[in-house]
Amino acid sequence: MAAHFGRRLRKGATSTAVAAAAVAALAASQAPGVTTDDQGRQTTGSEATSDGNGDGSATGNGRYYTDLPPLDSPTASPSPGTGPTTPAGTAEAGIPATVLDAYKKAETELRTSKPGCNLPWQLLAAIGKVESGQARGGRVDANGTTYSKILGPKLDGNGFALIADTDNGAYDGDSAYDRAVGPMQFIPSTWEWAGRDGNGDGAKNPNNIYDAALAAGHYLCRLDRDLSVQSELNKAILGYNNSQDYLNTVLSWLEYYRKGTHEVPNGTGSLPSHSTDDGQGANPSPSPSPPKPPKTPKPPKTTPSPKPDDGGSTSPSPPPSAPGTPKPPSPTPPTPTDTVDHLEDAGTAKLTATAGDTFDQKVAVRTETKAGKAVAKVRVRFTIVGDTDATFTGGETVATIVTNSAGKATAPALVAGQKTGDFTVRATVVGRSVRGLDYTATVTEPQADTLARTSATELTCVPGGEFANQVEVKATYKNAVADGVAATATIVKSADDATENDKGPYFKGADGKTVRTLKDLKTDANGLLKLPKLYADDTTGTFLLRIDTTGGATLTVELKVAAATTTTP
């Protein structure tokens, strides 16, 4: 990319080129927490291990296009006195119609589902340009599906990450290694949890630009990011492909598209020509050079047999290998994943939480060899299974974590939804067929352990009258507000007999009839519960109103019905 940028400088637009270089330098300076690992790749700390693959990226840190945008702005003003001019870089500023529509629809959906993310569609366009040249110049059908699959190189460790097959070739057609797929270049293991249905056809297809653009938007908006903050934007882009050069390239296109774009017909978008692997990207390779004639092999040297000596062997040395005979390949050392024999629990406690709360405990497992030795640097996938709306922190239902030096992988915190009941968190080793571990998690209804009246006013009434004050109580659980707690209110016979009383105070139903038991009550967001008005029949005395909640909190309130006192003049 540096050489390509140098060619631009030699074209004479020096001032604009310097500005473009400044954008890249600014991006580099505003990417806090970026470090370099022992293979020269840039990482962003623990976040890089939770994206669904061992390299912490949506794409597996695969190939991408390195072409930079034109130096001239797509919204250049006409020269004085010359009339309107065609903006420089018009071809590059054009985005195929269906592809552009997919980006804008994804932005609209994210504006509703994750408004705090502030995702601009131009960011999706910048990534789409760098990943696939806008779906190969917009070679998509009316529904947004590419006419042929867009596949990245095999992630076999040869110049790229080593990611063994995770989908049995379902997405990429390769049952040995994973490959990035589609116009936004998701690797299969990431698409499995990040995929979205962007065009409403009921399918999640990485080769469909509507599905892929929406998935990319959600991927970028993970972890409650605000992309209007430069540091958060940088982290999101680095999470897509963990490279500083990639970050700079995407930011350059983002800035370019923000200055202006226009729609072009599908299939007519300009194609990139430089990529990180062969300089050709998805374009045809240049014609091969004619093969050189083979060299004439030199005759092998003969090795004389050793002369016998005391205790020495008289056997001749083996003849040398014939010229051109390939050497046997060196044995490939096993990867850490290959040595894993089983998963062990790593101290996971009972998983229970109230609806809407975060679980106090996390699922933790350890990868071990057959001898029980811990195995580090192994990808473990945690998947939420069952009829539940619970998620991991960040809103996803799948998280992939790399084991630490002790072989331990800890799943992100679980966040309970509103559905109560049991579900399963399943831990499996990515790229290795070993028995997984299942953990049962339970979501209970909101609970209260304490109920108290919000007023100390005595509740009195005359026979046949109406109580002047309504009963209001506040529920708490472990000294915190208990909202959404189910409750029942009953006029009971006595403190020792919780059956419904057939006389005394009562509520009125919707039809005006007497009701002495109220069900399906719930505390509000502040933990408050205000009961309807109470009325009295002709019976006098002291009566009890009992309020019971989920979690065992109970409160008994006295209701007094007495004739009005008269005074003698």
Side-chain angles (χ1 to χ4, degrees):
M1 185 176 76
H4 185 49
F5 192 76
R7 288 196 297 270
R8 294 167 181 266
L9 289 175
R10 288 192 292 271
K11 288 184 179 180
T14 306
S15 61
T16 313
V18 171
V23 170
L26 175 64
S29 68
Q30 292 181 327
V34 177
T35 58
T36 303
D37 66 11
D38 57 0
Q39 297 179 357
R41 295 178 307 212
Q42 287 164 330
T43 62
T44 53
S46 60
E47 181 181 326
T49 66
S50 61
D51 296 336
N53 64 80
D55 292 287
S57 71
T59 63
N61 296 328
R63 175 185 63 199
Y64 63 89
Y65 290 110
T66 58
D67 300 52
L68 293 173
L71 296 175
D72 295 322
S73 168
T75 56
S77 301
S79 301
T82 60
T85 61
T86 302
T90 294
E92 290 292 355
I95 300 178
T98 300
V99 177
L100 181 60
D101 184 56
Y103 295 150
K104 290 184 176 181
K105 278 184 166 57
E107 179 198 55
T108 300
E109 195 277 342
L110 266 298
R111 196 181 299 139
T112 300
S113 61
K114 295 184 178 180
C117 179
N118 296 304
L119 172 82
W121 66 261
Q122 291 91 340
L123 176 58
L124 297 176
I127 290 176
K129 179 70 174 181
V130 171
E131 292 294 346
S132 69
Q134 311 297 18
R136 293 188 181 132
R139 295 188 69 251
V140 297
D141 62 22
N143 293 319
T145 303
T146 57
Y147 289 119
S148 59
K149 289 185 177 181
I150 301 175
L151 297 175
K154 291 183 178 181
L155 299 176
D156 57 3
N158 184 20
F160 299 103
L162 174 59
I163 302 181
D165 175 64
T166 61
D167 66 330
N168 199 28
Y171 293 118
D172 55 15
D174 192 327
S175 58
Y177 300 99
D178 272 351
R179 305 173 70 169
V181 182
M184 302 305 277
Q185 290 290 278
F186 279 94
I187 59 172
S189 59
T190 302
W191 181 262
E192 191 64 29
W193 61 266
R196 295 292 194 279
D197 177 13
N199 61 354
D201 63 357
K204 300 176 183 178
N205 181 3
N207 299 294
N208 181 279
I209 185 58
Y210 287 100
D211 295 357
L214 184 59
H218 277 276
Y219 187 92
L220 294 163
C221 287
R222 292 170 311 130
L223 308 176
D224 295 325
R225 291 190 180 111
D226 180 358
L227 301 186
S228 65
V229 177
Q230 186 67 47
S231 61
E232 295 292 291
L233 174 64
N234 292 348
K235 288 180 181 179
I237 297 172
L238 286 170
Y240 211 89
N241 190 309
N242 209 356
S243 158
Q244 188 70 35
D245 287 340
Y246 181 87
L247 170 65
N248 295 341
T249 306
V250 169
L251 287 176
S252 296
W253 281 105
L254 171 60
E255 183 68 18
Y256 180 74
Y257 286 141
R258 276 176 165 163
K259 293 177 180 177
T261 60
H262 61 273
E263 178 183 302
V264 298
N266 287 347
T268 65
S270 71
L271 294 173
S273 56
H274 299 81
S275 70
T276 52
D277 57 352
D278 58 6
Q280 300 299 322
N283 297 330
S285 300
S287 301
S289 303
K292 296 180 180 179
K295 294 182 180 179
T296 304
K298 295 180 181 180
K301 295 181 180 179
T302 58
T303 303
S305 300
K307 296 179 181 180
D309 56 15
D310 292 338
S313 171
T314 58
S315 301
S317 300
S321 301
T325 302
K327 294 181 179 180
S330 301
T332 302
T335 65
T337 302
D338 294 334
T339 66
V340 175
D341 176 75
H342 59 274
L343 278 172
E344 283 287 336
D345 177 62
T348 304
K350 186 176 181 180
L351 300 168
T352 304
T354 301
D357 290 346
T358 299
F359 284 73
D360 292 333
Q361 302 296 328
K362 296 180 180 180
V363 177
V365 299
R366 186 171 54 252
T367 51
E368 295 183 352
T369 64
K370 191 172 184 178
K373 183 179 179 180
V375 185
K377 297 183 179 180
V378 174
R379 289 181 294 149
V380 175
R381 179 175 294 128
F382 297 95
T383 307
I384 295 175
V385 182
D387 183 18
T388 180
D389 53 356
T391 64
F392 292 115
T393 302
E396 307 296 346
T397 58
V398 177
T400 302
I401 306 297
V402 178
T403 57
N404 61 17
S405 59
K408 184 177 179 180
T410 303
L414 285 164
V415 180
Q418 295 305 312
K419 288 186 178 179
T420 59
D422 294 343
F423 64 91
T424 299
V425 179
R426 180 165 298 154
T428 56
V429 177
V430 177
R432 182 76 168 163
S433 296
V434 298
R435 182 180 62 85
L437 295 180
D438 283 355
Y439 295 87
T440 299
T442 303
V443 178
T444 62
E445 292 185 11
Q447 302 177 42
D449 53 19
T450 304
L451 277 178
R453 284 190 63 197
T454 60
S455 170
T457 304
E458 189 176 46
L459 298 169
T460 62
C461 184
V462 297
E466 174 183 315
F467 283 81
N469 299 298
Q470 291 176 245
V471 177
E472 184 181 65
V473 297
K474 183 171 184 177
T476 56
Y477 183 68
K478 295 181 179 180
N479 297 320
V481 167
D483 59 313
V485 177
T488 301
T490 306
I491 307 296
V492 297
K493 289 187 175 180
S494 69
D496 299 323
D497 187 353
T499 57
E500 181 182 295
N501 205 331
D502 57 359
K503 57 185 176 181
Y506 62 91
F507 302 101
K508 287 184 179 180
D511 55 3
K513 293 183 178 179
T514 297
V515 174
R516 289 193 169 90
T517 298
L518 297 177
K519 298 181 180 180
D520 301 324
L521 303 172
K522 279 194 175 182
T523 59
D524 65 14
N526 298 314
L528 298 175
L529 174 62
K530 191 171 187 177
L531 300 181
K533 287 184 177 182
L534 277 162
Y535 302 87
D537 60 13
D538 294 333
T539 310
T540 59
T542 299
F543 301 87
L544 298 179
L545 168 65
R546 175 170 169 152
I547 304 173
D548 297 287
T549 67
T550 303
T554 298
L555 178 67
T556 301
V557 180
E558 284 191 350
L559 305 173
K560 295 181 179 180
V561 180
T565 58
T566 58
T567 58
T568 303

